[in-house]
């Protein structure tokens, strides 16, 4: 595995905007339902999984790590004129994440193939939110999302070498990665080990005994739909079965999410960083207003706050 490559020469990358399908679906809170899906698939990549085990604090602070990461990652999509700068900051957090895995293979988080795999999962997550938990997507809309994910990738200033040239080529890439590259890693298994997961911040008012009573069945249900959305080869590599009956119930669950989501007020449907982008485009937020950053409760703990691999903004009350 090689280190990061220089981006190929070309014009300044163009940020995505409010007419894109990516804007419509990526910052939608339904995406949090797919956080274990994205985390497990990302960590099945041997280089990415090794980097998370050796450099990340994710398993010590799952909710905080997830919720704060949504800000810069979402900013690459929704920050408009600042999106390129945000993308380069996100890339910079990965610069020191390198090492040798348990099988003696060197890895670097900025290896283009490794970094692109993480990006590919965010693209497919967006597609799944729209197609499986939303109204559904035509092939033309899927091709549009593919083209937008290429535009999104360019913002990072990374090599274009690993990016498939078309939507059909991406589908072949996705299947090949699942069949030939992804592995049954410790990091992926730990992502799916959520039986003892702490209470999410959104449920902080739920009494502790009630949370402990529902946590185990909720964890089983989450793992069930998560692996149901995996590529078949990845699901089989982890030893999960999937039947036609499972698939029917998963599609019913997706329709339930879609129709229930219509009851959520529009202003509550998006992550704060995404919501700020929509407000800026409507003229309800100054174009020069500071970026919306994570609350202090999500910041890394102790000395980790100063580590260059963490997004850790200086908040006004610091």
């Amino acid at each position: 595995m090689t280190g990061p490559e220089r981006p190929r020469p070309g014009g300044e990358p163009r940020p995505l905007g409010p007419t894109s399908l990516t804007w419509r679906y990526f910052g939608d809170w339904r995406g949090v339902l797919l956080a274990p899906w994205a985390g497990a698939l990302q960590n099945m990549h041997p280089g990415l999984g090794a980097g998370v085990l050796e450099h990340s604090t994710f398993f010590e602070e799952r909710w905080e790590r997830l919720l704060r990461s949504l800000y810069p990652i979402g900013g690459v999509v929704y920050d408009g004129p600042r999106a390129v700068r945000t993308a380069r900051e996100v890339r910079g957090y990965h610069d020191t994440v390198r090492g040798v895995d348990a099988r003696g293979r060197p890895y670097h988080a900025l290896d283009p193939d490794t970094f692109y795999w993480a990006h590919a999962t965010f693209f497919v997550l967006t597609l799944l939110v729209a197609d499986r938990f939303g109204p559904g997507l035509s092939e033309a809309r899927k091709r549009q999302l593919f083209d937008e994910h290429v535009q999104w990738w360019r913002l990072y200033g990374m090599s274009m070498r690993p990016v498939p040239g078309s939507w059909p080529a991406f589908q072949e890439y996705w299947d090949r990665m699942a069949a030939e590259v992804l592995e049954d890693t410790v990091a992926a298994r730990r992502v799916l080990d959520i039986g003892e997961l702490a209470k999410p911040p959104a449920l902080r008012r739920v009494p502790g005994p009630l949370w402990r009573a529902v946590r185990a069945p909720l964890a089983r249900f989450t793992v069930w739909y998560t692996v149901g959305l995996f590529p078949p080869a990845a699901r089989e590599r982890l030893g999960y079965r999937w039947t036609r009956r499972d698939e029917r119930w998963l599609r019913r669950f997706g329709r339930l999410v879609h129709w229930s989501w219509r009851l959520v007020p529009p202003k509550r449907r998006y992550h704060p960083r995404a919501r700020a982008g929509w407000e800026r485009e409507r003229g309800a937020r100054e174009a020069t207003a500071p970026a919306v950053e994570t609350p202090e409760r999500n910041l890394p703990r102790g000395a980790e706050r100063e580590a260059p691999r963490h997004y850790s903004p200086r908040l006004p009350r610091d």
Side-chain angles (χ1 to χ4, degrees):
M1 186 176 290
T2 61
E5 293 187 6
R6 286 187 171 282
R8 293 178 182 175
E12 184 69 14
R14 181 168 52 89
L16 293 164
T19 60
S20 68
L21 287 176
T22 304
W23 263 55
R24 182 174 176 182
Y25 292 112
F26 181 66
D28 186 315
W29 278 119
R30 283 173 293 184
V32 174
L33 293 172
L34 293 171
W37 175 91
L41 278 181
Q42 288 174 8
N43 285 297
M44 287 184 75
H45 186 290
L48 208 156
V52 167
L53 277 182
E54 296 185 7
H55 295 272
S56 177
T57 59
F58 173 76
F59 298 112
E60 290 75 47
E61 45 158 10
R62 289 196 185 215
W63 287 115
E64 296 88 345
R65 177 67 170 79
L66 168 65
L67 293 174
R68 73 170 176 265
S69 295
L70 295 176
Y71 285 82
I73 294 171
V76 180
V77 172
Y78 294 98
D79 278 1
R82 284 194 295 256
V84 172
R85 184 174 68 188
T86 303
R88 306 308 163 87
E89 289 171 355
V90 170
R91 189 182 72 184
Y93 301 142
H94 298 81
D95 188 54
T96 61
V97 180
R98 65 179 77 203
V100 178
D101 73 9
R103 291 172 55 181
R105 297 171 294 188
Y107 67 85
H108 191 299
L110 290 183
D111 173 86
D113 294 294
T114 303
F115 201 73
Y116 178 71
W117 174 247
H119 182 71
T121 65
F122 291 137
F123 157 50
V124 177
L125 179 147
T126 310
L127 189 153
L128 289 174
V129 168
D131 197 41
R132 300 296 294 265
F133 291 164
L137 289 175
S138 66
E139 281 300 302
R141 288 295 182 98
K142 291 175 183 178
R143 286 194 296 272
Q144 180 182 339
L145 273 174
F146 169 81
D147 291 341
E148 291 173 3
H149 110 284
V150 176
Q151 183 179 344
W152 177 5
W153 169 258
R154 290 182 186 276
L155 299 174
Y156 290 109
M158 297 285 290
S159 167
M160 295 300 295
R161 175 180 55 76
V163 182
S166 66
W167 166 235
F170 179 87
Q171 293 172 278
E172 293 176 4
Y173 160 84
W174 187 255
D175 291 342
R176 179 181 59 79
M177 290 293 293
E180 301 177 10
V181 177
L182 301 189
E183 298 177 358
D184 183 353
T185 66
V186 173
R189 290 287 184 178
R190 290 184 67 183
V191 169
L192 295 173
D193 182 12
I194 55 176
E196 299 295 323
L197 189 65
K199 189 191 312 180
L203 300 182
R204 60 185 177 275
R205 297 183 185 277
V206 173
L210 177 58
W211 168 249
R212 288 189 291 275
V214 303
R215 178 169 54 185
L218 183 60
R220 288 193 295 270
F221 177 70
T222 300
V223 172
W224 170 78
Y225 77 72
T226 294
V227 301
L229 293 168
F230 278 177
R235 184 168 58 232
E236 292 164 10
R237 183 155 294 116
L238 294 178
Y240 290 98
R241 289 182 66 243
W242 194 251
T243 67
R244 284 179 290 184
R245 183 173 181 269
D246 285 319
E247 184 63 24
R248 286 195 300 271
W249 279 106
L250 179 58
R251 291 189 178 278
R252 289 168 183 165
F253 172 59
R255 290 196 294 271
L256 175 63
V257 172
H258 168 56
W259 290 108
S260 300
W261 196 243
R262 295 165 69 91
L263 303 176
V264 178
K267 67 180 180 180
R268 300 291 185 190
R269 294 177 185 175
Y270 287 93
H271 181 271
R273 192 77 166 243
R275 192 161 62 242
W278 285 109
E279 291 171 353
R280 185 187 65 247
E281 293 299 321
R282 292 198 308 266
R285 182 179 180 85
E286 293 290 336
T288 57
V292 175
E293 307 287 12
T294 186
E296 186 172 13
R297 64 179 177 270
N298 294 331
L299 292 178
R301 302 167 186 172
E304 284 291 324
R305 188 173 294 196
E306 304 302 322
R309 64 182 178 274
H310 293 306
Y311 157 69
S312 184
R314 296 291 180 181
L315 303 177
R317 56 183 173 276
D318 279 1

